C-alpha cells in the first residue's frame, strides 16, 4: 500500500504543477471541444458516401455498337444507374447547370477495340475526394471486365468466326469460378464517421500530445 500512496502523491503533485500552466489548461479543456465540433462536422457521413449503393451516371454513348452496350451492362452491374444526356431536364436560362457523374464512350469504340487500337474513355467526376476515386475504380472495373470478356470470347471462337454481341453477352450472367467473402473484422458493422469517430480520436490525440509536451517538460 505504501507504494500506491507514493505513486498517488507523485501523480497528484505532478498534476498540480501541470495545471498551473494556462497553455496546458487551454489544450486540455478548450481545444478538444473545438476539434470535436470542427472535425465531427466536416467528416459527418464522410465514410458512408463510398459504400456500395446505386449512384447515377450520365453515359454519352457515341458508339452505338455491341461493345458500347456491353460496357453499359457492366456499369449497371457495378451499381450505376445510367441516364442519357438527352433525358436530363433542361436548365432554365440564367441558372447554373447541376453537376453529374458523366462517362463518354467515343465513336468507333467497338471498331477500334476489335482492331486492337487504344481507346480512351472520358469520366467527369461528381466531386473530389474518396467518393470520386471510388466511382472511378468502379468504372475502371467495368471497363477491364469488358476487356476480359473480349479476351475469353475471342479465345473460344471457332475458325472463321468473328466477335459479335452473341459471343460476349453470355458472360454477363456467367458464374464466377472464384469469389471474395468480405465481412467486418469486429462487432461493429458500420465504419464510424462524424462525431462517432472524431470524439474518441481527438481525445487520444490530445492525451498523447499533452503527455509528450507538458509531461515531458515536467520530467
Amino acid at each position: 500500500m505504501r507504494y500506491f500512496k507514493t505513486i498517488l502523491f507523485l501523480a497528484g503533485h505532478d498534476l498540480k504543477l501541470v495545471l498551473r500552466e494556462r497553455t496546458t489548461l487551454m489544450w486540455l479543456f478548450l481545444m478538444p471541444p473545438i476539434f470535436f465540433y470542427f472535425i465531427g462536422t466536416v467528416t459527418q457521413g464522410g465514410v458512408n458516401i463510398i459504400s456500395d449503393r446505386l449512384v447515377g451516371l450520365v453515359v454519352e454513348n457515341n458508339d452505338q455498337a455491341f461493345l458500347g452496350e456491353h460496357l453499359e451492362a457492366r456499369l449497371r452491374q457495378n451499381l450505376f444507374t445510367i441516364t442519357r444526356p438527352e433525358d436530363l431536364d433542361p436548365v432554365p436560362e440564367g441558372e447554373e447547370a447541376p453537376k453529374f457523374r458523366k462517362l463518354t464512350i467515343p465513336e468507333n469504340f467497338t471498331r477500334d477495340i476489335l482492331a486492337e487500337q487504344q481507346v480512351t474513355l472520358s469520366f467527369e467526376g461528381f466531386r473530389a475526394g474518396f467518393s470520386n476515386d471510388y466511382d472511378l475504380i468502379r468504372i475502371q472495373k467495368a471497363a477491364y471486365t469488358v476487356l476480359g470478356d473480349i479476351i475469353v470470347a475471342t479465345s473460344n471462337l471457332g475458325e472463321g468466326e468473328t466477335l459479335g454481341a452473341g459471343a460476349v453477352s453470355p458472360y454477363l450472367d456467367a458464374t464466377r469460378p472464384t469469389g471474395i467473402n468480405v465481412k467486418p473484422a469486429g462487432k461493429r458493422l458500420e465504419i464510424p464517421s462524424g462525431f462517432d469517430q472524431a470524439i474518441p480520436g481527438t481525445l487520444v490525440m490530445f492525451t498523447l500530445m499533452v503527455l509528450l509536451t507538458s509531461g515531458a517538460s515536467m520530467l
Side-chain angles (χ1 to χ4, degrees):
M1 295 298 296
R2 185 181 63 180
Y3 295 104
F4 287 105
K5 290 182 179 180
T6 304
I7 293 172
L8 291 175
F9 171 76
L10 293 175
H13 182 69
D14 183 74
L15 183 62
K16 291 179 182 179
L17 293 178
V18 169
L19 294 180
R20 288 179 181 177
E21 299 291 335
R22 293 184 178 180
T23 55
T24 302
L25 294 175
M26 180 186 70
W27 287 105
L28 274 177
F29 301 107
L30 178 62
M31 296 305 294
I34 295 177
F35 272 70
F36 293 162
Y37 175 77
F38 177 74
I39 299 177
T41 302
V42 170
T43 61
Q44 189 74 31
V47 177
N48 294 330
I49 61 175
I50 62 173
S51 60
D52 288 330
R53 58 185 177 86
L54 287 172
V55 295
L57 179 66
V58 178
V59 177
E60 183 180 341
N61 190 352
N62 299 309
D63 180 53
Q64 301 302 327
F66 72 96
L67 285 183
E69 296 175 356
H70 191 73
L71 176 58
E72 291 183 7
R74 286 300 187 187
L75 289 169
R76 293 187 182 94
Q77 289 182 345
N78 283 275
L79 301 181
F80 286 107
T81 57
I82 294 178
T83 305
R84 305 295 179 192
E86 57 270 18
D87 295 334
L88 298 175
D89 296 331
V91 180
E93 185 177 356
E95 294 186 9
E96 184 179 358
K99 295 183 179 180
F100 300 97
R101 301 174 182 88
K102 183 180 179 181
L103 178 69
T104 303
I105 302 175
E107 295 181 4
N108 304 319
F109 176 73
T110 300
R111 187 194 67 181
D112 292 342
I113 289 181
L114 296 181
E116 299 183 0
Q117 297 180 4
Q118 183 176 357
V119 178
T120 301
L121 299 172
S122 300
F123 172 63
E124 299 176 16
F126 181 71
R127 67 183 73 184
F130 292 115
S131 176
N132 186 72
D133 293 340
Y134 189 53
D135 293 336
L136 181 58
I137 288 173
R138 287 196 286 177
I139 290 176
Q140 290 175 333
K141 178 184 176 182
Y144 283 116
T145 306
V146 171
L147 181 59
D149 293 339
I150 295 172
I151 295 173
V152 175
T154 303
S155 65
N156 292 329
L157 290 177
E159 186 176 354
E161 294 182 346
T162 58
L163 188 67
V168 295
S169 57
Y171 296 102
L172 290 173
D173 300 322
T175 302
R176 298 287 179 178
T178 58
I180 300 176
N181 184 18
V182 181
K183 59 183 180 179
K187 295 181 179 179
R188 181 157 186 161
L189 300 180
E190 294 182 2
I191 301 175
S193 62
F195 291 101
D196 290 341
Q197 189 276 334
I199 292 177
T202 303
L203 284 175
V204 172
M205 180 185 72
F206 275 95
T207 300
L208 292 175
M209 186 169 61
V210 172
L211 286 174
L212 293 174
T213 54
S214 300
S217 63
M218 290 303 300
L219 288 176

